[in-house]
Amino acid sequence: MTTIIWIAVAVLLIGIYLSWTAGRLDRLHARIDAARAALDAQLLRRASVAQEVGTSGVLDPAASIVLYQAAHEARQAEEDHREVAESELSQALRAIFAEEGQLEAVREAPGGERTVTELTAAVRRVPMARRFHNDAVRAARAVRRHRVVRVFRLAGHAPFPLAFEMDDEPPAVLDDRSAGN
C-alpha cells in the first residue's frame, strides 16, 4: 500500500511540474507576442515619421526620394522581407542624416523641431523594442530546448520563436546617447 502512495505522490509531483512548465512556456509565448506588437508599433512609427520627413520637401530631392521609398518599403514589406526592408530604412536614415546640415534643414521648417523630436524618439525606441523582443525569444527558446518540454510536447502547436534581426543603429546626429559622450 505504501508503494502505491509513493507512486501516486511521484505522479502528482511530475504532473504539477509539467503543468507549471507548460504555464511558464505559455507566459513566455504571450510575452513574445506582446513584445512583437510593441516592436511592430515602433517600426511603424519610425517609418511613418521618416515618410513624413521624406514628403515634407525640406530635404534635397534625391534624399527625399530615397527616404520616402525606404520608409514606404518598410511599411509595406511582407513578413519574410521585413527585416531587410527595416534595415534598408536604417541605412537610408544614416546616409541622409550623416551630416548635421540635413537635420538643420528639417529643424528650420515649420513644425520641424517637433518632427526632429519625433524622429529621434522613433529611432531610439526601435533598438529597445527589438532588444525586448529578442530577449523574450531567447528565454522561450531556452525553455523549449529542455528535453522534458520536447518529450511531453509542452509547447503544443506554437511555432518556434524567431528573433528579429535587423540593422537598427540610429544616425549619429539623432542618437542623443552619442551627444552625452
Side-chain angles (χ1 to χ4, degrees):
M1 191 63 163
T2 309
T3 308
I4 294 173
I5 292 172
W6 283 112
I7 291 173
V9 168
V11 169
L12 179 66
L13 290 176
I14 290 171
I16 290 171
Y17 174 74
L18 291 176
S19 175
W20 176 80
T21 304
R24 179 174 177 222
L25 196 53
D26 187 51
R27 288 188 301 276
L28 285 171
H29 282 119
R31 186 173 140 207
I32 289 171
D33 291 342
R36 181 58 188 243
L39 175 60
D40 287 341
Q42 293 306 323
L43 291 172
L44 180 62
R45 181 172 183 232
R46 180 181 77 150
S48 296
V49 174
Q51 204 168 21
E52 180 182 323
V53 170
T55 59
S56 67
V58 296
L59 300 174
D60 63 78
S64 292
I65 290 170
V66 167
L67 188 58
Y68 175 81
Q69 283 183 326
H72 180 73
E73 289 298 319
R75 290 181 72 181
Q76 301 298 320
E78 296 293 326
E79 195 58 37
D80 53 340
H81 298 294
R82 182 111 189 256
E83 293 169 346
V84 173
E86 294 294 347
S87 294
E88 289 173 354
L89 176 56
S90 295
Q91 293 164 2
L93 285 166
R94 280 197 310 272
I96 290 165
F97 293 109
E99 51 197 54
E100 191 76 29
Q102 295 281 29
L103 188 62
E104 288 306 315
V106 173
R107 224 181 231 127
E108 291 169 1
E113 194 63 44
R114 182 186 57 78
T115 303
V116 168
T117 302
E118 284 181 31
L119 188 59
T120 301
V123 299
R124 287 187 65 215
R125 287 182 179 147
V126 166
M128 204 175 341
R130 189 175 75 85
R131 195 170 313 118
F132 285 137
H133 175 267
N134 288 350
D135 286 346
V137 167
R138 229 179 330 277
R141 282 180 170 181
V143 172
R144 286 182 72 150
R145 283 192 192 108
H146 290 137
R147 184 174 299 138
V148 171
V149 172
R150 289 192 319 261
V151 168
F152 289 100
R153 298 180 188 210
L154 298 180
H157 297 290
F160 194 74
L162 299 174
F164 194 87
E165 298 300 333
M166 63 171 273
D167 173 4
D168 60 5
E169 186 176 330
V173 296
L174 293 176
D175 189 10
D176 290 344
R177 295 169 297 188
S178 64
N181 293 336

